[in-house]
PDB file of all heavy atoms in Angstrom:
ATOM      1  N   VAL R   1      67.644  40.431 -45.423  1.00 97.00           N
ATOM      2  CA  VAL R   1      67.748  41.705 -44.657  1.00 97.00           C
ATOM      3  C   VAL R   1      67.850  42.729 -45.692  1.00 97.00           C
ATOM      4  O   VAL R   1      67.192  43.879 -45.505  1.00 97.00           O
ATOM      5  CB  VAL R   1      68.884  41.623 -43.672  1.00 97.00           C
ATOM      6  CG1 VAL R   1      69.256  43.072 -43.197  1.00 97.00           C
ATOM      7  CG2 VAL R   1      68.677  40.795 -42.459  1.00 97.00           C
ATOM      8  N   VAL R   2      68.725  42.596 -46.655  1.00 97.00           N
ATOM      9  CA  VAL R   2      68.884  43.657 -47.745  1.00 97.00           C
ATOM     10  C   VAL R   2      67.566  43.836 -48.460  1.00 97.00           C
ATOM     11  O   VAL R   2      67.162  45.047 -48.685  1.00 97.00           O
ATOM     12  CB  VAL R   2      70.045  43.285 -48.712  1.00 97.00           C
ATOM     13  CG1 VAL R   2      70.112  44.209 -49.882  1.00 97.00           C
ATOM     14  CG2 VAL R   2      71.389  43.352 -47.920  1.00 97.00           C
ATOM     15  N   VAL R   3      66.908  42.764 -48.828  1.00 95.00           N
ATOM     16  CA  VAL R   3      65.633  42.941 -49.544  1.00 95.00           C
ATOM     17  C   VAL R   3      64.579  43.538 -48.736  1.00 95.00           C
ATOM     18  O   VAL R   3      63.890  44.487 -49.245  1.00 95.00           O
ATOM     19  CB  VAL R   3      65.178  41.517 -50.050  1.00 95.00           C
ATOM     20  CG1 VAL R   3      63.748  41.541 -50.627  1.00 95.00           C
ATOM     21  CG2 VAL R   3      66.083  40.949 -51.138  1.00 95.00           C
ATOM     22  N   ILE R   4      64.404  43.141 -47.483  1.00 94.00           N
ATOM     23  CA  ILE R   4      63.413  43.800 -46.649  1.00 94.00           C
ATOM     24  C   ILE R   4      63.707  45.287 -46.367  1.00 94.00           C
ATOM     25  O   ILE R   4      62.852  46.097 -46.417  1.00 94.00           O
ATOM     26  CB  ILE R   4      63.245  42.962 -45.275  1.00 94.00           C
ATOM     27  CG1 ILE R   4      62.774  41.595 -45.583  1.00 94.00           C
ATOM     28  CG2 ILE R   4      62.334  43.661 -44.310  1.00 94.00           C
ATOM     29  CD1 ILE R   4      61.341  41.439 -46.181  1.00 94.00           C
ATOM     30  N   ALA R   5      65.070  45.468 -46.140  1.00 95.00           N
ATOM     31  CA  ALA R   5      65.381  46.872 -45.952  1.00 95.00           C
ATOM     32  C   ALA R   5      65.069  47.836 -47.223  1.00 95.00           C
ATOM     33  O   ALA R   5      64.667  48.868 -46.991  1.00 95.00           O
ATOM     34  CB  ALA R   5      66.895  46.954 -45.601  1.00 95.00           C
ATOM     35  N   SER R   6      65.416  47.209 -48.332  1.00 94.00           N
ATOM     36  CA  SER R   6      65.143  47.968 -49.571  1.00 94.00           C
ATOM     37  C   SER R   6      63.588  48.229 -49.690  1.00 94.00           C
ATOM     38  O   SER R   6      63.153  49.376 -50.145  1.00 94.00           O
ATOM     39  CB  SER R   6      65.630  47.187 -50.797  1.00 94.00           C
ATOM     40  OG  SER R   6      64.928  46.127 -51.042  1.00 94.00           O
ATOM     41  N   TRP R   7      62.791  47.232 -49.265  1.00 91.00           N
ATOM     42  CA  TRP R   7      61.271  47.449 -49.244  1.00 91.00           C
ATOM     43  C   TRP R   7      60.848  48.561 -48.326  1.00 91.00           C
ATOM     44  O   TRP R   7      59.910  49.322 -48.598  1.00 91.00           O
ATOM     45  CB  TRP R   7      60.535  46.181 -48.918  1.00 91.00           C
ATOM     46  CG  TRP R   7      60.100  45.451 -50.160  1.00 91.00           C
ATOM     47  CD1 TRP R   7      60.728  44.395 -50.755  1.00 91.00           C
ATOM     48  CD2 TRP R   7      58.974  45.797 -51.010  1.00 91.00           C
ATOM     49  NE1 TRP R   7      59.966  43.957 -51.806  1.00 91.00           N
ATOM     50  CE2 TRP R   7      58.896  44.848 -51.976  1.00 91.00           C
ATOM     51  CE3 TRP R   7      57.943  46.703 -50.921  1.00 91.00           C
ATOM     52  CZ2 TRP R   7      57.853  44.726 -53.029  1.00 91.00           C
ATOM     53  CZ3 TRP R   7      56.912  46.662 -51.917  1.00 91.00           C
ATOM     54  CH2 TRP R   7      56.969  45.666 -52.917  1.00 91.00           C
ATOM     55  N   ARG R   8      61.518  48.554 -47.217  1.00 90.00           N
ATOM     56  CA  ARG R   8      61.195  49.560 -46.112  1.00 90.00           C
ATOM     57  C   ARG R   8      61.711  51.001 -46.513  1.00 90.00           C
ATOM     58  O   ARG R   8      60.943  51.923 -46.323  1.00 90.00           O
ATOM     59  CB  ARG R   8      61.790  49.263 -44.843  1.00 90.00           C
ATOM     60  CG  ARG R   8      61.296  47.998 -44.135  1.00 90.00           C
ATOM     61  CD  ARG R   8      59.953  48.219 -43.545  1.00 90.00           C
ATOM     62  NE  ARG R   8      59.989  49.334 -42.572  1.00 90.00           N
ATOM     63  CZ  ARG R   8      59.230  49.604 -41.675  1.00 90.00           C
ATOM     64  NH1 ARG R   8      58.254  48.834 -41.447  1.00 90.00           N
ATOM     65  NH2 ARG R   8      59.384  50.566 -40.898  1.00 90.00           N
ATOM     66  N   VAL R   9      62.867  51.098 -47.158  1.00 92.00           N
ATOM     67  CA  VAL R   9      63.476  52.350 -47.430  1.00 92.00           C
ATOM     68  C   VAL R   9      63.065  52.974 -48.801  1.00 92.00           C
ATOM     69  O   VAL R   9      62.674  54.056 -48.879  1.00 92.00           O
ATOM     70  CB  VAL R   9      64.956  52.317 -47.224  1.00 92.00           C
ATOM     71  CG1 VAL R   9      65.630  53.671 -47.620  1.00 92.00           C
ATOM     72  CG2 VAL R   9      65.418  51.874 -45.870  1.00 92.00           C
ATOM     73  N   HIS R  10      63.230  52.091 -49.835  1.00 89.00           N
ATOM     74  CA  HIS R  10      62.886  52.549 -51.202  1.00 89.00           C
ATOM     75  C   HIS R  10      62.045  51.437 -51.839  1.00 89.00           C
ATOM     76  O   HIS R  10      62.506  50.762 -52.723  1.00 89.00           O
ATOM     77  CB  HIS R  10      64.154  52.688 -51.983  1.00 89.00           C
ATOM     78  CG  HIS R  10      64.932  53.948 -51.616  1.00 89.00           C
ATOM     79  ND1 HIS R  10      66.097  53.945 -50.844  1.00 89.00           N
ATOM     80  CD2 HIS R  10      64.643  55.257 -51.949  1.00 89.00           C
ATOM     81  CE1 HIS R  10      66.534  55.140 -50.618  1.00 89.00           C
ATOM     82  NE2 HIS R  10      65.711  55.943 -51.346  1.00 89.00           N
ATOM     83  N   PRO R  11      60.777  51.311 -51.612  1.00 89.00           N
ATOM     84  CA  PRO R  11      59.965  50.271 -52.176  1.00 89.00           C
ATOM     85  C   PRO R  11      59.875  50.429 -53.717  1.00 89.00           C
ATOM     86  O   PRO R  11      59.561  49.442 -54.423  1.00 89.00           O
ATOM     87  CB  PRO R  11      58.687  50.465 -51.523  1.00 89.00           C
ATOM     88  CG  PRO R  11      58.608  51.770 -50.949  1.00 89.00           C
ATOM     89  CD  PRO R  11      59.983  52.156 -50.673  1.00 89.00           C
ATOM     90  N   GLU R  12      60.140  51.565 -54.244  1.00 88.00           N
ATOM     91  CA  GLU R  12      60.029  51.818 -55.724  1.00 88.00           C
ATOM     92  C   GLU R  12      61.056  51.004 -56.507  1.00 88.00           C
ATOM     93  O   GLU R  12      60.922  50.737 -57.719  1.00 88.00           O
ATOM     94  CB  GLU R  12      60.031  53.221 -56.061  1.00 88.00           C
ATOM     95  CG  GLU R  12      61.335  53.938 -55.793  1.00 88.00           C
ATOM     96  CD  GLU R  12      61.505  54.380 -54.359  1.00 88.00           C
ATOM     97  OE1 GLU R  12      60.515  54.312 -53.594  1.00 88.00           O
ATOM     98  OE2 GLU R  12      62.617  54.962 -54.012  1.00 88.00           O
ATOM     99  N   VAL R  13      62.029  50.490 -55.738  1.00 90.00           N
ATOM    100  CA  VAL R  13      62.970  49.632 -56.368  1.00 90.00           C
ATOM    101  C   VAL R  13      62.324  48.359 -57.011  1.00 90.00           C
ATOM    102  O   VAL R  13      62.747  47.786 -57.948  1.00 90.00           O
ATOM    103  CB  VAL R  13      64.038  49.101 -55.303  1.00 90.00           C
ATOM    104  CG1 VAL R  13      64.936  48.035 -55.840  1.00 90.00           C
ATOM    105  CG2 VAL R  13      64.877  50.316 -54.878  1.00 90.00           C
ATOM    106  N   TRP R  14      61.196  47.965 -56.381  1.00 88.00           N
ATOM    107  CA  TRP R  14      60.626  46.722 -56.793  1.00 88.00           C
ATOM    108  C   TRP R  14      59.419  46.926 -57.727  1.00 88.00           C
ATOM    109  O   TRP R  14      58.621  45.899 -57.935  1.00 88.00           O
ATOM    110  CB  TRP R  14      60.155  46.001 -55.507  1.00 88.00           C
ATOM    111  CG  TRP R  14      61.370  45.675 -54.680  1.00 88.00           C
ATOM    112  CD1 TRP R  14      61.754  46.349 -53.575  1.00 88.00           C
ATOM    113  CD2 TRP R  14      62.324  44.676 -54.905  1.00 88.00           C
ATOM    114  NE1 TRP R  14      62.916  45.802 -53.119  1.00 88.00           N
ATOM    115  CE2 TRP R  14      63.294  44.777 -53.848  1.00 88.00           C
ATOM    116  CE3 TRP R  14      62.393  43.601 -55.860  1.00 88.00           C
ATOM    117  CZ2 TRP R  14      64.446  43.937 -53.712  1.00 88.00           C
ATOM    118  CZ3 TRP R  14      63.503  42.760 -55.754  1.00 88.00           C
ATOM    119  CH2 TRP R  14      64.561  43.018 -54.767  1.00 88.00           C
ATOM    120  N   VAL R  15      59.140  48.062 -58.287  1.00 88.00           N
ATOM    121  CA  VAL R  15      58.006  48.256 -59.167  1.00 88.00           C
ATOM    122  C   VAL R  15      58.032  47.339 -60.322  1.00 88.00           C
ATOM    123  O   VAL R  15      57.019  46.837 -60.678  1.00 88.00           O
ATOM    124  CB  VAL R  15      58.024  49.814 -59.656  1.00 88.00           C
ATOM    125  CG1 VAL R  15      57.073  49.973 -60.820  1.00 88.00           C
ATOM    126  CG2 VAL R  15      57.704  50.722 -58.524  1.00 88.00           C
ATOM    127  N   GLY R  16      59.221  47.129 -60.963  1.00 85.00           N
ATOM    128  CA  GLY R  16      59.251  46.248 -62.088  1.00 85.00           C
ATOM    129  C   GLY R  16      58.734  44.770 -61.714  1.00 85.00           C
ATOM    130  O   GLY R  16      58.150  44.086 -62.516  1.00 85.00           O
ATOM    131  N   ASP R  17      59.129  44.387 -60.467  1.00 83.00           N
ATOM    132  CA  ASP R  17      58.737  43.033 -59.990  1.00 83.00           C
ATOM    133  C   ASP R  17      57.178  42.976 -59.769  1.00 83.00           C
ATOM    134  O   ASP R  17      56.562  41.952 -60.127  1.00 83.00           O
ATOM    135  CB  ASP R  17      59.509  42.602 -58.769  1.00 83.00           C
ATOM    136  CG  ASP R  17      61.020  42.250 -59.050  1.00 83.00           C
ATOM    137  OD1 ASP R  17      61.453  42.776 -60.100  1.00 83.00           O
ATOM    138  OD2 ASP R  17      61.531  41.596 -58.283  1.00 83.00           O
ATOM    139  N   ILE R  18      56.667  43.945 -59.065  1.00 83.00           N
ATOM    140  CA  ILE R  18      55.349  43.774 -58.697  1.00 83.00           C
ATOM    141  C   ILE R  18      54.340  44.089 -59.852  1.00 83.00           C
ATOM    142  O   ILE R  18      53.180  43.778 -59.728  1.00 83.00           O
ATOM    143  CB  ILE R  18      55.024  44.689 -57.435  1.00 83.00           C
ATOM    144  CG1 ILE R  18      55.195  46.154 -57.735  1.00 83.00           C
ATOM    145  CG2 ILE R  18      55.784  44.228 -56.192  1.00 83.00           C
ATOM    146  CD1 ILE R  18      54.700  47.033 -56.535  1.00 83.00           C
ATOM    147  N   THR R  19      54.840  44.706 -60.869  1.00 83.00           N
ATOM    148  CA  THR R  19      53.975  44.938 -62.042  1.00 83.00           C
ATOM    149  C   THR R  19      54.315  43.884 -63.121  1.00 83.00           C
ATOM    150  O   THR R  19      53.801  44.037 -64.252  1.00 83.00           O
ATOM    151  CB  THR R  19      54.228  46.309 -62.615  1.00 83.00           C
ATOM    152  OG1 THR R  19      55.569  46.443 -63.141  1.00 83.00           O
ATOM    153  CG2 THR R  19      53.800  47.384 -61.627  1.00 83.00           C
ATOM    154  N   LYS R  20      55.014  42.949 -62.762  1.00 80.00           N
ATOM    155  CA  LYS R  20      55.340  41.777 -63.665  1.00 80.00           C
ATOM    156  C   LYS R  20      56.056  42.253 -64.966  1.00 80.00           C
ATOM    157  O   LYS R  20      55.875  41.862 -66.026  1.00 80.00           O
ATOM    158  CB  LYS R  20      54.169  40.892 -64.062  1.00 80.00           C
ATOM    159  CG  LYS R  20      53.394  40.404 -62.829  1.00 80.00           C
ATOM    160  CD  LYS R  20      52.224  39.702 -63.269  1.00 80.00           C
ATOM    161  CE  LYS R  20      51.151  39.726 -62.162  1.00 80.00           C
ATOM    162  NZ  LYS R  20      49.954  39.223 -62.545  1.00 80.00           N
ATOM    163  N   GLY R  21      56.882  43.330 -64.692  1.00 79.00           N
ATOM    164  CA  GLY R  21      57.615  43.917 -65.876  1.00 79.00           C
ATOM    165  C   GLY R  21      56.920  44.954 -66.718  1.00 79.00           C
ATOM    166  O   GLY R  21      57.402  45.484 -67.712  1.00 79.00           O
ATOM    167  N   GLU R  22      55.557  45.150 -66.455  1.00 85.00           N
ATOM    168  CA  GLU R  22      54.796  46.106 -67.232  1.00 85.00           C
ATOM    169  C   GLU R  22      55.268  47.483 -67.049  1.00 85.00           C
ATOM    170  O   GLU R  22      55.228  48.353 -67.948  1.00 85.00           O
ATOM    171  CB  GLU R  22      53.355  46.084 -66.831  1.00 85.00           C
ATOM    172  CG  GLU R  22      52.641  44.731 -67.251  1.00 85.00           C
ATOM    173  CD  GLU R  22      51.270  44.525 -66.707  1.00 85.00           C
ATOM    174  OE1 GLU R  22      50.680  45.565 -66.115  1.00 85.00           O
ATOM    175  OE2 GLU R  22      50.728  43.490 -66.845  1.00 85.00           O
ATOM    176  N   GLU R  23      55.852  47.868 -65.822  1.00 88.00           N
ATOM    177  CA  GLU R  23      56.486  49.116 -65.600  1.00 88.00           C
ATOM    178  C   GLU R  23      58.000  48.853 -65.275  1.00 88.00           C
ATOM    179  O   GLU R  23      58.293  47.880 -64.580  1.00 88.00           O
ATOM    180  CB  GLU R  23      55.893  49.916 -64.404  1.00 88.00           C
ATOM    181  CG  GLU R  23      54.536  50.420 -64.662  1.00 88.00           C
ATOM    182  CD  GLU R  23      53.951  51.257 -63.600  1.00 88.00           C
ATOM    183  OE1 GLU R  23      54.729  51.933 -62.956  1.00 88.00           O
ATOM    184  OE2 GLU R  23      52.739  51.102 -63.322  1.00 88.00           O
ATOM    185  N   LYS R  24      58.861  49.690 -65.779  1.00 86.00           N
ATOM    186  CA  LYS R  24      60.220  49.514 -65.514  1.00 86.00           C
ATOM    187  C   LYS R  24      60.631  50.259 -64.320  1.00 86.00           C
ATOM    188  O   LYS R  24      60.144  51.343 -63.987  1.00 86.00           O
ATOM    189  CB  LYS R  24      61.032  49.984 -66.735  1.00 86.00           C
ATOM    190  CG  LYS R  24      60.795  49.208 -67.944  1.00 86.00           C
ATOM    191  CD  LYS R  24      61.151  47.773 -67.843  1.00 86.00           C
ATOM    192  CE  LYS R  24      60.956  47.065 -69.224  1.00 86.00           C
ATOM    193  NZ  LYS R  24      60.920  45.640 -69.118  1.00 86.00           N
ATOM    194  N   THR R  25      61.666  49.753 -63.558  1.00 85.00           N
ATOM    195  CA  THR R  25      62.167  50.385 -62.414  1.00 85.00           C
ATOM    196  C   THR R  25      63.193  51.452 -62.924  1.00 85.00           C
ATOM    197  O   THR R  25      64.058  51.092 -63.784  1.00 85.00           O
ATOM    198  CB  THR R  25      62.908  49.388 -61.415  1.00 85.00           C
ATOM    199  OG1 THR R  25      62.011  48.353 -61.033  1.00 85.00           O
ATOM    200  CG2 THR R  25      63.486  50.016 -60.278  1.00 85.00           C
ATOM    201  N   GLU R  26      63.014  52.682 -62.561  1.00 83.00           N
ATOM    202  CA  GLU R  26      63.850  53.666 -63.042  1.00 83.00           C
ATOM    203  C   GLU R  26      65.319  53.474 -62.496  1.00 83.00           C
ATOM    204  O   GLU R  26      65.452  53.115 -61.291  1.00 83.00           O
ATOM    205  CB  GLU R  26      63.276  55.062 -62.556  1.00 83.00           C
ATOM    206  CG  GLU R  26      61.995  55.519 -63.199  1.00 83.00           C
ATOM    207  CD  GLU R  26      62.125  55.617 -64.709  1.00 83.00           C
ATOM    208  OE1 GLU R  26      63.103  56.237 -65.175  1.00 83.00           O
ATOM    209  OE2 GLU R  26      61.190  55.135 -65.422  1.00 83.00           O
ATOM    210  N   PRO R  27      66.320  53.758 -63.314  1.00 89.00           N
ATOM    211  CA  PRO R  27      67.670  53.542 -62.823  1.00 89.00           C
ATOM    212  C   PRO R  27      68.222  54.771 -62.009  1.00 89.00           C
ATOM    213  O   PRO R  27      69.115  55.477 -62.402  1.00 89.00           O
ATOM    214  CB  PRO R  27      68.483  53.375 -64.055  1.00 89.00           C
ATOM    215  CG  PRO R  27      67.706  54.067 -65.102  1.00 89.00           C
ATOM    216  CD  PRO R  27      66.287  53.952 -64.717  1.00 89.00           C
ATOM    217  N   THR R  28      67.613  55.046 -60.931  1.00 90.00           N
ATOM    218  CA  THR R  28      68.070  56.110 -60.094  1.00 90.00           C
ATOM    219  C   THR R  28      69.208  55.660 -59.222  1.00 90.00           C
ATOM    220  O   THR R  28      69.461  54.499 -59.071  1.00 90.00           O
ATOM    221  CB  THR R  28      66.909  56.543 -59.055  1.00 90.00           C
ATOM    222  OG1 THR R  28      66.704  55.503 -58.200  1.00 90.00           O
ATOM    223  CG2 THR R  28      65.591  57.011 -59.850  1.00 90.00           C
ATOM    224  N   PRO R  29      69.977  56.572 -58.661  1.00 93.00           N
ATOM    225  CA  PRO R  29      71.128  56.098 -57.770  1.00 93.00           C
ATOM    226  C   PRO R  29      70.685  55.298 -56.668  1.00 93.00           C
ATOM    227  O   PRO R  29      71.460  54.235 -56.286  1.00 93.00           O
ATOM    228  CB  PRO R  29      71.665  57.505 -57.237  1.00 93.00           C
ATOM    229  CG  PRO R  29      71.355  58.480 -58.374  1.00 93.00           C
ATOM    230  CD  PRO R  29      70.034  58.018 -58.859  1.00 93.00           C
ATOM    231  N   ALA R  30      69.557  55.475 -56.027  1.00 90.00           N
ATOM    232  CA  ALA R  30      69.063  54.611 -54.904  1.00 90.00           C
ATOM    233  C   ALA R  30      68.816  53.248 -55.308  1.00 90.00           C
ATOM    234  O   ALA R  30      69.194  52.256 -54.801  1.00 90.00           O
ATOM    235  CB  ALA R  30      67.894  55.219 -54.260  1.00 90.00           C
ATOM    236  N   ASN R  31      68.061  53.144 -56.562  1.00 91.00           N
ATOM    237  CA  ASN R  31      67.665  51.789 -57.106  1.00 91.00           C
ATOM    238  C   ASN R  31      69.057  51.057 -57.493  1.00 91.00           C
ATOM    239  O   ASN R  31      69.056  49.854 -57.209  1.00 91.00           O
ATOM    240  CB  ASN R  31      66.755  51.997 -58.254  1.00 91.00           C
ATOM    241  CG  ASN R  31      65.514  52.566 -57.921  1.00 91.00           C
ATOM    242  OD1 ASN R  31      65.172  52.734 -56.787  1.00 91.00           O
ATOM    243  ND2 ASN R  31      64.685  52.969 -58.957  1.00 91.00           N
ATOM    244  N   ILE R  32      70.015  51.670 -58.063  1.00 93.00           N
ATOM    245  CA  ILE R  32      71.178  51.028 -58.383  1.00 93.00           C
ATOM    246  C   ILE R  32      71.962  50.590 -57.269  1.00 93.00           C
ATOM    247  O   ILE R  32      72.533  49.509 -57.115  1.00 93.00           O
ATOM    248  CB  ILE R  32      72.092  51.942 -59.355  1.00 93.00           C
ATOM    249  CG1 ILE R  32      71.405  52.247 -60.714  1.00 93.00           C
ATOM    250  CG2 ILE R  32      73.528  51.403 -59.473  1.00 93.00           C
ATOM    251  CD1 ILE R  32      71.981  53.257 -61.526  1.00 93.00           C
ATOM    252  N   SER R  33      71.947  51.451 -56.184  1.00 95.00           N
ATOM    253  CA  SER R  33      72.641  51.090 -54.900  1.00 95.00           C
ATOM    254  C   SER R  33      72.019  49.812 -54.289  1.00 95.00           C
ATOM    255  O   SER R  33      72.764  48.915 -53.788  1.00 95.00           O
ATOM    256  CB  SER R  33      72.507  52.181 -53.885  1.00 95.00           C
ATOM    257  OG  SER R  33      73.144  53.353 -54.404  1.00 95.00           O
ATOM    258  N   TRP R  34      70.692  49.697 -54.265  1.00 94.00           N
ATOM    259  CA  TRP R  34      70.007  48.563 -53.729  1.00 94.00           C
ATOM    260  C   TRP R  34      70.350  47.357 -54.503  1.00 94.00           C
ATOM    261  O   TRP R  34      70.573  46.243 -53.982  1.00 94.00           O
ATOM    262  CB  TRP R  34      68.472  48.755 -53.540  1.00 94.00           C
ATOM    263  CG  TRP R  34      68.176  49.633 -52.389  1.00 94.00           C
ATOM    264  CD1 TRP R  34      67.732  50.807 -52.361  1.00 94.00           C
ATOM    265  CD2 TRP R  34      68.394  49.350 -50.919  1.00 94.00           C
ATOM    266  NE1 TRP R  34      67.563  51.321 -51.087  1.00 94.00           N
ATOM    267  CE2 TRP R  34      67.946  50.417 -50.208  1.00 94.00           C
ATOM    268  CE3 TRP R  34      68.958  48.174 -50.393  1.00 94.00           C
ATOM    269  CZ2 TRP R  34      68.070  50.412 -48.856  1.00 94.00           C
ATOM    270  CZ3 TRP R  34      69.008  48.243 -49.016  1.00 94.00           C
ATOM    271  CH2 TRP R  34      68.491  49.331 -48.142  1.00 94.00           C
ATOM    272  N   PHE R  35      70.248  47.489 -55.894  1.00 93.00           N
ATOM    273  CA  PHE R  35      70.611  46.363 -56.700  1.00 93.00           C
ATOM    274  C   PHE R  35      72.054  45.880 -56.418  1.00 93.00           C
ATOM    275  O   PHE R  35      72.270  44.632 -56.300  1.00 93.00           O
ATOM    276  CB  PHE R  35      70.524  46.767 -58.235  1.00 93.00           C
ATOM    277  CG  PHE R  35      71.018  45.608 -59.109  1.00 93.00           C
ATOM    278  CD1 PHE R  35      70.265  44.623 -59.434  1.00 93.00           C
ATOM    279  CD2 PHE R  35      72.294  45.835 -59.735  1.00 93.00           C
ATOM    280  CE1 PHE R  35      70.685  43.541 -60.260  1.00 93.00           C
ATOM    281  CE2 PHE R  35      72.694  44.730 -60.622  1.00 93.00           C
ATOM    282  CZ  PHE R  35      72.002  43.715 -60.859  1.00 93.00           C
ATOM    283  N   LEU R  36      72.975  46.767 -56.329  1.00 96.00           N
ATOM    284  CA  LEU R  36      74.398  46.403 -56.001  1.00 96.00           C
ATOM    285  C   LEU R  36      74.467  45.761 -54.614  1.00 96.00           C
ATOM    286  O   LEU R  36      75.317  44.774 -54.433  1.00 96.00           O
ATOM    287  CB  LEU R  36      75.257  47.648 -56.127  1.00 96.00           C
ATOM    288  CG  LEU R  36      75.509  48.147 -57.468  1.00 96.00           C
ATOM    289  CD1 LEU R  36      76.314  49.422 -57.483  1.00 96.00           C
ATOM    290  CD2 LEU R  36      76.245  47.127 -58.387  1.00 96.00           C
ATOM    291  N   ALA R  37      73.765  46.221 -53.668  1.00 96.00           N
ATOM    292  CA  ALA R  37      73.785  45.646 -52.297  1.00 96.00           C
ATOM    293  C   ALA R  37      73.324  44.181 -52.337  1.00 96.00           C
ATOM    294  O   ALA R  37      73.858  43.352 -51.704  1.00 96.00           O
ATOM    295  CB  ALA R  37      72.965  46.437 -51.298  1.00 96.00           C
ATOM    296  N   VAL R  38      72.249  43.956 -53.117  1.00 94.00           N
ATOM    297  CA  VAL R  38      71.786  42.531 -53.297  1.00 94.00           C
ATOM    298  C   VAL R  38      72.862  41.730 -54.010  1.00 94.00           C
ATOM    299  O   VAL R  38      73.131  40.556 -53.496  1.00 94.00           O
ATOM    300  CB  VAL R  38      70.462  42.509 -54.048  1.00 94.00           C
ATOM    301  CG1 VAL R  38      70.044  41.071 -54.587  1.00 94.00           C
ATOM    302  CG2 VAL R  38      69.328  43.102 -53.287  1.00 94.00           C
ATOM    303  N   MET R  39      73.436  42.216 -55.073  1.00 93.00           N
ATOM    304  CA  MET R  39      74.459  41.445 -55.769  1.00 93.00           C
ATOM    305  C   MET R  39      75.703  41.131 -54.923  1.00 93.00           C
ATOM    306  O   MET R  39      76.252  40.070 -54.828  1.00 93.00           O
ATOM    307  CB  MET R  39      74.826  42.159 -57.066  1.00 93.00           C
ATOM    308  CG  MET R  39      73.724  42.189 -58.065  1.00 93.00           C
ATOM    309  SD  MET R  39      73.085  40.611 -58.448  1.00 93.00           S
ATOM    310  CE  MET R  39      74.436  39.819 -59.238  1.00 93.00           C
ATOM    311  N   VAL R  40      76.137  42.181 -54.169  1.00 94.00           N
ATOM    312  CA  VAL R  40      77.324  42.022 -53.331  1.00 94.00           C
ATOM    313  C   VAL R  40      77.084  41.029 -52.211  1.00 94.00           C
ATOM    314  O   VAL R  40      77.987  40.257 -51.927  1.00 94.00           O
ATOM    315  CB  VAL R  40      77.761  43.476 -52.748  1.00 94.00           C
ATOM    316  CG1 VAL R  40      78.781  43.282 -51.618  1.00 94.00           C
ATOM    317  CG2 VAL R  40      78.360  44.275 -53.829  1.00 94.00           C
ATOM    318  N   THR R  41      75.912  41.076 -51.678  1.00 95.00           N
ATOM    319  CA  THR R  41      75.514  40.102 -50.635  1.00 95.00           C
ATOM    320  C   THR R  41      75.618  38.678 -51.092  1.00 95.00           C
ATOM    321  O   THR R  41      76.178  37.743 -50.456  1.00 95.00           O
ATOM    322  CB  THR R  41      74.061  40.427 -50.120  1.00 95.00           C
ATOM    323  OG1 THR R  41      74.000  41.714 -49.584  1.00 95.00           O
ATOM    324  CG2 THR R  41      73.646  39.374 -49.087  1.00 95.00           C
ATOM    325  N   MET R  42      75.036  38.438 -52.367  1.00 92.00           N
ATOM    326  CA  MET R  42      75.144  37.072 -52.895  1.00 92.00           C
ATOM    327  C   MET R  42      76.596  36.657 -53.252  1.00 92.00           C
ATOM    328  O   MET R  42      76.933  35.573 -52.908  1.00 92.00           O
ATOM    329  CB  MET R  42      74.175  36.949 -54.083  1.00 92.00           C
ATOM    330  CG  MET R  42      72.714  37.065 -53.699  1.00 92.00           C
ATOM    331  SD  MET R  42      71.675  36.726 -55.082  1.00 92.00           S
ATOM    332  CE  MET R  42      71.927  38.106 -56.198  1.00 92.00           C
ATOM    333  N   VAL R  43      77.312  37.559 -53.866  1.00 92.00           N
ATOM    334  CA  VAL R  43      78.726  37.209 -54.294  1.00 92.00           C
ATOM    335  C   VAL R  43      79.572  37.016 -53.060  1.00 92.00           C
ATOM    336  O   VAL R  43      80.335  36.028 -53.016  1.00 92.00           O
ATOM    337  CB  VAL R  43      79.286  38.372 -55.171  1.00 92.00           C
ATOM    338  CG1 VAL R  43      80.747  38.062 -55.462  1.00 92.00           C
ATOM    339  CG2 VAL R  43      78.543  38.292 -56.573  1.00 92.00           C
ATOM    340  N   VAL R  44      79.489  37.857 -52.139  1.00 94.00           N
ATOM    341  CA  VAL R  44      80.292  37.787 -50.868  1.00 94.00           C
ATOM    342  C   VAL R  44      79.922  36.445 -50.098  1.00 94.00           C
ATOM    343  O   VAL R  44      80.855  35.682 -49.658  1.00 94.00           O
ATOM    344  CB  VAL R  44      80.261  38.995 -49.964  1.00 94.00           C
ATOM    345  CG1 VAL R  44      80.797  38.782 -48.526  1.00 94.00           C
ATOM    346  CG2 VAL R  44      80.850  40.228 -50.668  1.00 94.00           C
TER     347      VAL R  44
END
């Protein structure tokens, strides 16, 4: 749910993944928030 929601709301979070690391995902507050949401989901 978190991954699909991040794709719907802020797909640019996944630029690094879909470019196979050729482009870096910018560390914007939204991108950091989605990363933290994914991590919290897994840890919780």
Side-chain angles (χ1 to χ4, degrees):
V1 166
V2 171
V3 168
I4 297 298
S6 69
W7 262 100
R8 293 283 305 200
V9 178
H10 287 104
E12 65 276 357
V13 169
W14 301 100
V15 166
D17 286 24
I18 62 176
T19 63
K20 303 177 208 168
E22 292 172 9
E23 288 186 39
K24 300 293 181 197
T25 301
E26 294 297 321
T28 65
N31 295 350
I32 292 169
S33 297
W34 283 111
F35 173 76
L36 290 175
V38 167
M39 293 306 295
V40 166
T41 301
M42 290 187 293
V43 170
V44 168

